[in-house]
Amino acid sequence: AEDPLRQVFAPLGVAELSGKKCEYRKVNVPANRFTPLKENWMALYEPVTKQMKVDMRMNLKSKKVELKTTDKTEDEGALQKSADFVQAFLLGFEVQDAVALLRLDDLYLECFEVKDVKQTLRGEHMSRGIGRLAGKSGKTKFTIENSTRTRIVIADQHIRILGSFQNIKIARDAICSLILGSPPGKVYSKLRSITSRLAERF
């Protein structure tokens, strides 16, 4: 069978022929993110190919975004950063938030599920738990995001947080408290005291 990758990528460059190996990453595209990916393709493609100097293409057959280093790729971490950037978008983050993964070194993605926090949540209790996280018109989620300088995506029972290691921990603790039934007011005041302590420290 013909290798679908072969005819797409450019011939090997000087650096690759002199022993610098070509590296690849593949990122699975969930069915529900196919349309958003199509609509935002250029917004993802340009920073990856121009800033990171990494080749990127969509393999429609395997439903994966394929990334490959070129002889122009300078940063050793460029391929992993590009894969994280695409992954963050596919997990539901906006392009303008996810792009920070390309620019900053100390940004991470953390994913967990509501049932990881409280396994006994079922049916209506689960819906209420998720509702407590978002709050009215998403107010609770925005408050946590703004006070911890993170971005949060709540997709059904999946929670994804994008931010620095320390800020993810603070946001995750606040989210866990809400899932476990703490009133939002109590969670807000705890958040305020933690973030003001952090502000004093730096």
Side-chain angles (χ1 to χ4, degrees):
E2 201 175 353
D3 181 355
L5 295 180
R6 276 195 74 162
Q7 68 274 38
V8 176
F9 294 130
L12 291 179
V14 179
E16 290 158 342
L17 290 170
S18 65
K20 190 178 168 192
K21 248 184 30 219
C22 234
E23 290 185 54
Y24 299 86
R25 288 280 186 288
K26 293 180 182 184
V27 185
N28 284 320
V29 181
N32 66 321
R33 296 297 288 166
F34 233 67
T35 307
L37 179 66
K38 218 159 143 187
E39 289 164 358
N40 292 276
W41 181 256
M42 286 316 291
L44 293 162
Y45 182 81
E46 290 201 344
V48 168
T49 54
K50 290 183 180 165
Q51 288 171 38
M52 296 284 117
K53 298 181 172 59
V54 167
D55 269 358
M56 170 170 157
R57 69 163 207 162
M58 178 69 211
N59 186 329
L60 290 167
K61 208 170 172 185
S62 64
K63 295 186 172 55
K64 286 176 170 57
V65 173
E66 298 177 343
L67 300 152
K68 165 186 168 286
T69 55
T70 68
D71 54 351
K72 294 185 184 73
T73 311
E74 292 149 14
D75 177 4
E76 278 188 4
L79 186 64
Q80 189 56 51
K81 281 181 181 175
S82 302
D84 289 344
F85 166 54
V86 173
Q87 181 72 50
F89 174 76
L90 294 173
L91 286 173
F93 291 96
E94 298 288 334
V95 175
Q96 61 266 31
D97 293 330
V99 83
L101 284 160
L102 298 179
R103 300 199 188 110
L104 304 167
D105 283 334
D106 63 341
L107 272 198
Y108 301 94
L109 260 177
E110 171 143 347
C111 306
F112 61 97
E113 288 184 52
V114 172
K115 69 173 189 300
D116 296 338
V117 181
K118 193 174 185 184
Q119 292 178 343
T120 53
L121 282 183
R122 299 272 187 280
E124 269 182 47
H125 295 292
M126 175 69 85
S127 308
R128 277 202 294 272
I130 295 165
R132 276 199 299 275
L133 293 183
K136 197 176 178 188
S137 333
K139 180 174 172 276
T140 307
K141 182 173 90 80
F142 290 134
T143 306
I144 297 172
E145 285 181 329
N146 294 337
S147 55
T148 59
R149 285 187 292 189
T150 56
R151 284 289 170 265
I152 298 164
V153 167
I154 300 166
D156 191 22
Q157 296 169 27
H158 299 270
I159 295 144
R160 288 107 188 208
I161 312 173
L162 174 68
S164 70
F165 185 76
Q166 188 174 30
N167 291 351
I168 285 177
K169 187 184 182 310
I170 298 166
R172 191 183 60 219
D173 289 348
I175 288 167
C176 291
S177 300
L178 287 166
I179 293 171
L180 294 169
S182 289
K186 196 174 172 187
V187 174
Y188 293 162
S189 58
K190 192 178 174 191
L191 265 180
R192 273 195 298 273
S193 70
I194 292 171
T195 47
S196 62
R197 272 208 308 275
L198 280 180
E200 283 163 19
R201 204 182 299 169
F202 296 111

